[in-house]
Amino acid sequence: MSEILKLVGARIRDVRKSRGLSQETLAEKAGFNPSYIGFVERAERNISLINLEKIAKALNVGVYHLFSYVREYEDLTENESRIKEIIAILKNRDSRDLDMARNVLLEIFERYDNKSNK
């Protein structure tokens, strides 16, 4: 299996998930069968440039964005991987949601710190 297909497929999956889209929704937006998106994400199909462009448009990103997969996450610890997941969840939220999430985290950790210091 080609390394470039693996990286592009992983990048498509990551962008799709960060947008909160299912494979079915992305397929519908791009004009494909849902199973095709799964094949591409798992690097089981050699995607054409035309189809890559359709997927990029459906994800509302430039094609170049799908080639910018960074390998920095390959060697993450379990905690670092959880942080990446939290960032992906928060990435496309509006400022009100981000403020709310920040406040919830601060409250949780403040309570935890207070209990630990007793």
Side-chain angles (χ1 to χ4, degrees):
M1 184 174 334
S2 164
E3 186 68 18
I4 189 76
L5 290 177
K6 288 180 194 176
L7 292 173
V8 170
R11 182 69 174 144
I12 289 169
R13 181 183 57 249
D14 287 349
V15 174
R16 174 181 61 77
K17 287 183 174 184
S18 76
R19 303 277 193 273
L21 299 174
S22 65
Q23 288 181 344
E24 292 78 14
T25 303
L26 175 57
E28 185 178 317
K29 289 177 79 165
F32 296 117
N33 182 303
S35 61
Y36 179 75
I37 299 297
F39 290 139
V40 169
E41 288 182 358
R42 292 187 304 274
E44 295 173 355
R45 289 280 168 88
N46 188 6
I47 186 169
S48 73
L49 292 176
I50 291 170
N51 288 350
L52 190 65
E53 180 182 43
K54 289 177 183 179
I55 290 172
K57 284 182 181 178
L59 291 169
N60 200 29
V61 298
V63 173
Y64 71 91
H65 195 77
L66 301 178
F67 289 101
S68 63
Y69 193 82
V70 180
R71 297 175 136 246
E72 67 186 85
Y73 297 119
E74 287 183 350
D75 298 322
L76 291 180
T77 66
E78 187 175 340
N79 281 344
E80 289 169 332
S81 183
R82 287 181 182 144
I83 291 168
K84 179 188 174 239
E85 183 180 354
I86 291 167
I87 290 170
I89 292 167
L90 296 173
K91 190 171 184 176
N92 294 309
R93 304 306 301 193
D94 63 27
S95 60
R96 198 175 87 194
D97 288 346
L98 294 173
D99 288 341
M100 181 177 58
R102 180 183 172 274
N103 290 338
V104 167
L105 287 172
L106 288 172
E107 186 173 325
I108 289 169
F109 293 129
E110 184 177 298
R111 286 182 188 173
Y112 175 78
D113 290 342
N114 288 336
K115 286 181 182 179
S116 295
N117 292 330
K118 289 183 180 181

